[in-house]
């Protein structure tokens, strides 16, 4: 209860500090979850997901999925986690790096729920890269080569997107 009060105080004072405000929303949700106030925790996590034009959506959605799974709401958790992974795959590499831990945790949680996590690479529409045929288009040969490389990485158990040792 004390943690909840502290986080609520931080929330009231951090509207101008995006990062602190987001982390206070996350902390408030944790405190509510610990108090078994699940609907209130989920509400805070929904706020986190939509905060700052969705900048923290991956973080909020991961925690919402985690809480839903922990409280026996399996199907909504699965749907939310799968959506999170697919949305992450659609982002640029720079955007995707922000919450990689949460995306990987979502994949693990899906596996623990007995559901195969969507593969990021299978969500890539490589054919669209060469569709324009104009300047900057990628040839069909390059697209086929990329598909082979991705398949080879998956066969070896390597991640579909390189982590460069991170």
């Amino acid at each position: 209860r004390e943690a909840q009060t502290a986080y609520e105080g931080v929330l009231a004072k951090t509207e101008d500090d995006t990062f602190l405000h987001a982390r206070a929303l996350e902390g408030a949700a944790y405190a509510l979850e610990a108090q078994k106030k699940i609907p209130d925790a989920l509400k805070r996590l929904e706020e986190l997901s939509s905060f700052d034009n969705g900048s923290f959506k991956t973080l909020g959605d991961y925690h919402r999925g985690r809480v839903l799974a922990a409280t026996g709401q399996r199907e909504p958790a699965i749907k939310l986690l799968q959506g999170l992974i697919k949305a992450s795959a659609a982002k640029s590499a720079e955007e995707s790096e922000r919450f990689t831990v949460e995306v990987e945790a979502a994949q693990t949680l899906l596996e623990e729920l007995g559901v195969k996590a969507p593969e990021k690479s299978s969500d890539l529409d490589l054919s669209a890269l060469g569709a324009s045929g104009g300047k900057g288009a990628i040839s069909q040969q390059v697209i086929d080569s990329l598909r082979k490389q991705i398949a080879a990485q998956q066969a070896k158990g390597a991640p579909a997107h390189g982590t460069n040792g991170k």
Side-chain angles (χ1 to χ4, degrees), residues 5 7 56 64 75 83 97 121 165:
T5 302
Y7 281 118
F56 295 87
R64 285 174 48 216
E75 293 308 314
E97 285 185 18
S121 62

Side-chain angles (χ1 to χ4, degrees), residues 51-115:
F51 179 65
D52 193 40
N53 295 316
S55 296
F56 295 87
K57 184 168 178 48
T58 301
L59 181 63
D61 285 359
Y62 164 69
H63 283 303
R64 285 174 48 216
R66 178 188 57 74
V67 170
L68 289 168
T71 57
Q73 299 176 62
R74 186 177 187 277
E75 293 308 314
I78 290 169
K79 184 176 180 178
L80 189 62
L81 294 168
Q82 287 177 327
L84 176 158
I85 293 166
K86 287 180 182 178
S88 175
K91 293 179 181 177
S92 70
E94 188 175 304
E95 288 177 308
S96 294
E97 285 185 18
R98 187 165 184 206
F99 293 110
T100 56
V101 171
E102 287 78 9
V103 173
E104 290 170 4
Q107 291 171 323
T108 300
L109 184 51
L110 280 173
E111 290 169 11
E112 289 173 358
L113 291 169
V115 176

